[in-house]
């Protein structure tokens, strides 16, 4: 088997919380806590989970927009976490990000042309004439007319702005793109246009995506693999088919049942979770989900479950929950 | 007579580029104890419709240019501001999308609920506090006697939205308008809040207008729904019929493009081609024509009106609607 395009191992990002008059670090927000996964070439890993569970932080830590506290990231053979200087610059060409808010992520004072030419300038790609040609090609790829070249972001609709954001991410022919809630701010009819575009680009250029979204239906559509995050940790990962057909983790099951479906006859058997998401500053002991889990058992509050593969070697289905596998022993819980 | 009757409402805004008619002849009714969903994409006029009912259209640049809004038979468009203020927060209440902007950050939750209760219900300070705690308990806030003394920033998003609901319901309104009440919330919290609105409306017989761009939320919460496009209602009817047999091509397109969890992955998502036209540069005839796959010649000449077809359960504004399907 070929090596995956991206390998993430034990990635951790803690943010210090400062307090008191001396602004000393009084606590740590464990935004991302020991996350591991692979993404194959030309494939998409979808990442879901509630607000604040660490999805964006994970995406940024991979790109080193946040310095990881611990763990490793490999893009093909290159250790991203150890790279610096010219090597990091080269890596950055290959790893791009598309943000949620296309308005906030584009400079209001730059025309589309200036925005799209900038990465080419920074990386000194081609002559000015070639850069111009490349920008025009990019517009065509994302389905914008050449007439928009000299317009400013405020003159565009949300869907058009998001297309500009995607064109910018594509400018340097990246191998890997983090799409962080890239379609969440868009209306459904525009959202489906942009999702189809992302799909086309993937088939055409073989790009791998980490696709972050809180919308499970969007994630199912776009992803090959899906990971579910809760309080900084992955709690379940599987192929999109397996995860949606047979969610194992009680949190995944609750998430799935909470999605409103546009069919009045659907008759939802909803698992309404009680309580709010706990603070990542002070995550619960044992299983992080035990404070809201409808299936929690006494030992769930003391022993942290580990990832176990309930699928096969070829088609893994990773879950961290005490409902599966052997009953844990208190003595093997500490690492 | 329905509790609320909106009749040929027209709302205009003055902009740099000219007069934008944001609402152009909207009519609908809401009965006591009924939940009406208003759906449609960003900018179609959902919020302007609800602000018109609340008498909160900023003037200038906005104005109600025509039509009537009758609440319990009384035309609100002529109501003096003082009487309107009395109506808001007693007979008609509203929940806004972002609870943080509607709650005052410098006062405790208790101060804000008591204020409403004392103003509209004439309760004493002590009575208002006791009733406030009851309300917080009713919307499922744990330890309400403690939470009542907290400030909005000390609560999570879901709890703030519950506080808003508690405030909106504290005066037993006859009509509750909820404008995107769950858009800022996570799905699991959204599920809690929608259950709560449904239950409270059923218990108190409140009429509810639920505004959202999420068709799934409408399907699960509403009895009837109206679909808006570019300042007009283009189709309305009972939710079951509307979602199962949409007649207007826009309703059908919208429903088809909602991503939903399905057993097999679709190779491509259905889309509606093109984009919403500019309010200041509307096409002649039907506003959906440029994006419509079943346009006829006359769609470019005349503006279709909402039209009841005897056999159809919904009314649609379309010259060439999808055929009526009878189950
Ligand atoms: N720069 C920062 N400094 C301190 N804490 C941070 C910082 N960035 C994020 N956090 C915290 O880390 C946690 C994870 O945040 P993150 O933005 O990754 O969540 P998310 O899953 O992307 O949420 P959302 O769905 O709301 O975008 C949160 O508790 C957040 O408050
Ligand atoms: N104060 C205002 N001045 C000028 N135009 C306005 C004003 N308020 C609303 N509009 C215009 O009226 C139209 C309808 O806006 P409205 O806020 O009702 O949309 P909406 O359906 O609620 O959209 P969203 O889903 O984004 O909330 C838009 O074109 C908007 O630009
Ligand atoms: S380990 Fe226990 S608390 Fe955690 S998800 Fe499984 S059953 Fe629930
Ligand atoms: S009136 Fe004509 S253009 Fe408009 S939606 Fe109906 S068929 Fe399409
Ligand atoms: Mg995020
Ligand atoms: Mg609105």
């Amino acid at each position: 088997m070929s090596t995956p395009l991206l390998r993430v191992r034990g990635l951790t990002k803690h943010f210090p919380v400062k307090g008191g008059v001396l602004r000393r670090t009084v606590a740590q927000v464990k935004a991302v806590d020991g996350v591991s996964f692979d993404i194959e070439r030309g494939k998409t890993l979808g990442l879901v989970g509630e607000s604040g569970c660490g999805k964006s932080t994970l995406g940024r830590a991979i790109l080193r927009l946040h310095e990881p506290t611990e763990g490793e990231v490999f893009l093909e053979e290159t250790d991203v976490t150890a790279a610096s200087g010219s090597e990091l610059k080269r890596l950055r060409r290959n790893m791009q990000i598309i943000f949620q808010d296309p308005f906030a992520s584009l400079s209001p004072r730059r025309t589309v042309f200036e925005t799209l030419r900038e990465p080419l300038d920074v990386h000194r790609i081609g002559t000015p004439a070639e850069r111009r040609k490349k920008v025009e090609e990019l517009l065509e790829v994302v389905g914008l007319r050449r007439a928009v070249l000299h317009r400013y972001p405020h003159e565009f609709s949300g869907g058009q702005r998001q297309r500009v954001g995607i064109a910018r991410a594509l400018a340097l022919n990246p191998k890997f793109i983090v799409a962080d809630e890239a379609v969440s701010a868009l209306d459904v009819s525009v959202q489906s246009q942009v999702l189809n575009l992302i799909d086309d680009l993937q088939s055409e250029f073989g790009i791998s995506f980490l696709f972050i979204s809180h919308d499970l239906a969007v994630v199912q559509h776009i992803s090959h693999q899906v990971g579910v995050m809760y309080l900084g940790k992955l709690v379940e990962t599987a192929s999109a088919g397996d995860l949606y057909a047979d969610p194992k983790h009680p949190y995944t099951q609750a998430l799935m049942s909470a999605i409103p479906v546009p069919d009045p006859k659907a008759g939802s058997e909803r698992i309404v979770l009680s309580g709010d998401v706990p603070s990542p500053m002070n995550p619960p002991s044992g299983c992080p989900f035990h404070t809201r889990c409808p299936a929690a058992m006494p030992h769930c509050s003391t022993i942290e479950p580990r990832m176990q593969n309930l699928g096969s070697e070829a088609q893994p289905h990773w879950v961290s929950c005490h409902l599966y596998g052997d009953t844990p022993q208190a003595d093997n819980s500490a690492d | 007579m329905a509790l609320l009757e909106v009749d040929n409402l027209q709302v205009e805004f003055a902009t740099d580029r000219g007069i934008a008619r944001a609402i152009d002849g909207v009519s609908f009714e809401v009965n006591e104890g009924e939940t009406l969903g208003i759906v449609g994409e960003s900018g179609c006029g959902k919020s302007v419709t609800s602000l018109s009912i609340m008498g909160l259209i900023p003037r200038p640049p906005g104005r109600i240019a025509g039509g009537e809004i009758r609440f319990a038979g009384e035309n609100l468009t002529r109501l003096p501001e003082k009487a309107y203020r009395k109506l808001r927060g007693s007979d008609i209440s509203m929940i806004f999308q972002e609870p943080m902007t509607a709650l005052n950050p410098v006062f405790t939750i208790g101060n804000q609920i008591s204020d409403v209760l004392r103003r509209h219900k004439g309760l004493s300070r002590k009575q208002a506090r006791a009733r406030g705690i009851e309300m917080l308990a009713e919307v499922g806030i744990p330890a309400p006697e403690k939470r009542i003394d907290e400030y909005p920033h000390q609560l999570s998003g879901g709890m703030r939205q519950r506080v808003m609901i508690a405030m909106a319901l504290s005066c037993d309104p006859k009509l509750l308008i909820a404008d995107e009440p769950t858009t800022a919330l996570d799905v699991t919290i959204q599920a809690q809040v929608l259950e709560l609105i449904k239950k409270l409306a059923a218990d108190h017989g409140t009429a509810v207008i639920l505004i959202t761009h999420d068709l799934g939320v409408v399907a699960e919460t509403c009895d009837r729904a109206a679909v808006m496009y570019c300042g007009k209602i283009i189709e309305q009817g009972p939710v079951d019929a509307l979602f199962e047999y949409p007649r207007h091509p826009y309703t059908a397109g919208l429903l088809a493009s909602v991503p939903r969890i399905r057993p097999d992955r679709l190779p491509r998502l259905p889309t509606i081609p093109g984009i919403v036209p500019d309010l200041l540069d509307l096409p002649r005839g039907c506003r959906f024509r440029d994006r419509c796959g079943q346009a006829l010649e006359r769609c470019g000449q005349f503006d279709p009106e909402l039209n009841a077809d005897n056999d159809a359960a919904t009314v649609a504004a379309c010259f060439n609607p999808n055929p009526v399907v009878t189950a």
Side-chain angles (χ1 to χ4, degrees), chain B residues 15-245:
Chain B
T15 74
D16 303 346
R17 298 188 296 137
I19 302 281
R21 180 161 288 196
I23 303 294
D24 192 11
V26 159
S27 303
F28 61 87
E29 296 181 348
V30 194
N31 293 301
E32 232 165 85
E34 183 185 45
T35 300
L36 173 78
I38 300 184
V39 290
E41 297 187 86
S42 187
C44 69
K46 304 181 297 294
S47 294
V48 171
T49 302
S50 59
L51 292 174
S52 307
I53 300 167
M54 293 295 285
L56 292 175
I57 294 289
R59 203 163 41 147
R63 74 178 187 108
I64 293 192
E68 289 195 355
I69 299 168
R70 289 185 295 271
F71 180 73
E74 185 179 13
N75 183 4
L76 299 184
T77 56
R78 303 248 175 75
L79 202 66
E81 179 52 29
K82 205 167 156 211
Y84 230 131
R85 221 173 297 152
K86 194 141 180 270
L87 195 69
R88 284 196 290 265
S90 57
D91 280 349
I92 306 181
S93 273
M94 183 154 171
I95 308 172
F96 295 89
Q97 174 164 352
E98 187 25 78
M100 216 41 198
T101 57
L103 290 170
N104 191 326
V106 303
F107 293 109
T108 63
I109 303 303
N111 287 142
Q112 301 187 51
I113 298 190
S114 301
D115 191 48
V116 177
L117 287 166
R118 290 172 61 201
R119 220 161 1 117
H120 291 286
K121 290 253 142 163
L123 301 187
S124 73
R125 197 176 290 269
K126 218 167 141 198
Q127 286 169 325
R129 183 182 167 86
R131 179 81 187 114
I133 293 173
E134 270 172 43
M135 291 301 304
L136 291 183
E138 195 175 349
V139 296
I141 296 208
E145 61 293 334
K146 279 215 205 86
R147 291 292 185 180
I148 197 159
D149 294 318
E150 292 190 343
Y151 291 87
H153 73 264
Q154 291 173 284
L155 306 180
S156 72
M159 279 208 257
R160 284 199 288 262
Q161 200 53 287
R162 284 152 188 274
V163 169
M164 282 297 303
I165 294 172
M167 281 173 62
L169 292 173
S170 59
C171 292
D172 268 323
K174 298 198 177 83
L175 174 67
L176 174 70
I177 303 176
D179 190 353
E180 307 270 8
T182 57
T183 307
L185 304 176
D186 283 316
V187 278
T188 62
I189 308 291
Q190 164 172 298
Q192 292 173 0
V193 170
L194 290 176
E195 285 297 314
L196 183 69
I197 293 178
K198 264 201 278 197
K199 179 179 170 297
L200 294 177
D203 292 357
H204 298 247
T206 318
V208 180
I209 298 179
L210 182 69
I211 291 174
T212 174
H213 61 263
D214 188 332
L215 293 158
V217 167
V218 171
E220 297 201 353
T221 324
C222 302
D223 306 309
R224 280 191 309 120
V227 183
M228 290 188 73
Y229 187 73
C230 259
K232 282 179 177 283
I233 291 179
I234 53 91
E235 185 164 9
Q236 66 173 315
V239 162
D240 293 6
L242 192 70
F243 281 61
E244 198 161 3
Y245 307 116

Side-chain angles (χ1 to χ4, degrees), chain B residues 248-250 286-289 292 294-296 299 304 317-321:
Chain B
H248 196 286
Y250 177 67
C286 175
R287 292 165 189 212
F288 189 58
R289 190 192 41 159
C292 184
Q294 54 204 63
L296 307 173
C299 302
C318 177
F319 293 126
N320 187 21

Side-chain angles (χ1 to χ4, degrees), chain A residues 50 193 221 265 270 273, chain B residues 188 192 220 244 265 272:
Chain A
E50 281 172 289
Q193 292 173 358
H221 175 77
K265 298 221 174 81
R270 171 158 294 168
L273 291 178
Chain B
T188 62
Q192 292 173 0
E220 297 201 353
E244 198 161 3
R265 182 180 189 277
I272 304 175

Side-chain angles (χ1 to χ4, degrees), chain A residues 50-51 157 160 187-193 195-197 199-200 214-218 220-223 244 251 254-256 258-265 268 270 272-277 292, chain B residues 40-42 156 158-159 186-192 194-195 213-217 219-220 239-240 243-244 254-255 257-263 265-275 291:
Chain A
E50 281 172 289
S51 184
S157 71
Q160 289 174 317
D187 275 318
V188 281
S189 75
V190 185
Q191 187 181 64
S192 53
Q193 292 173 358
L195 287 170
N196 285 342
L197 172 67
D199 224 17
D200 293 344
H214 61 269
D215 186 327
L216 282 131
V218 167
Q220 185 201 23
H221 175 77
I222 202 88
S223 310
Y244 285 79
Y251 175 64
L255 265 187
M256 301 255 176
I259 308 161
V261 256
D263 177 0
K265 298 221 174 81
S268 53
R270 171 158 294 168
V272 175
L273 291 178
S274 56
D276 287 306
V277 187
R292 302 169 77 202
Chain B
E41 297 187 86
S42 187
S156 72
M159 279 208 257
D186 283 316
V187 278
T188 62
I189 308 291
Q190 164 172 298
Q192 292 173 0
L194 290 176
E195 285 297 314
H213 61 263
D214 188 332
L215 293 158
V217 167
E220 297 201 353
V239 162
D240 293 6
F243 281 61
E244 198 161 3
L254 209 53
L255 277 165
S257 42
V258 179
R260 27 182 130 195
I261 291 178
R262 17 187 144 218
R265 182 180 189 277
L266 292 178
R268 294 189 75 72
L269 284 173
T271 66
I272 304 175
I275 58 170
R291 310 176 69 188

Side-chain angles (χ1 to χ4, degrees), chain A residues 151-174:
Chain A
R151 298 221 194 127
Y152 292 89
H154 73 266
E155 298 175 72
F156 290 109
S157 71
Q160 289 174 317
R161 283 198 289 264
Q162 198 54 288
R163 283 168 195 266
V164 176
I166 293 172
R168 183 178 53 182
L170 292 174
L172 300 168
N173 303 325

Side-chain angles (χ1 to χ4, degrees), chain A residues 191-244:
Chain A
Q191 187 181 64
S192 53
Q193 292 173 358
V194 175
L195 287 170
N196 285 342
L197 172 67
I198 290 178
D199 224 17
D200 293 344
L201 294 173
Q202 181 162 55
S203 333
E204 196 175 334
F205 303 112
I207 304 167
S208 303
F209 282 90
L210 176 66
F211 190 94
I212 298 172
S213 174
H214 61 269
D215 186 327
L216 282 131
V218 167
V219 164
Q220 185 201 23
H221 175 77
I222 202 88
S223 310
H224 302 92
Q225 297 284 125
V226 177
V228 181
M229 248 181 120
Y230 191 76
L231 279 180
K233 297 196 154 99
L234 273 178
V235 296
E236 183 163 4
T237 47
S239 71
D242 286 351
L243 190 94
Y244 285 79

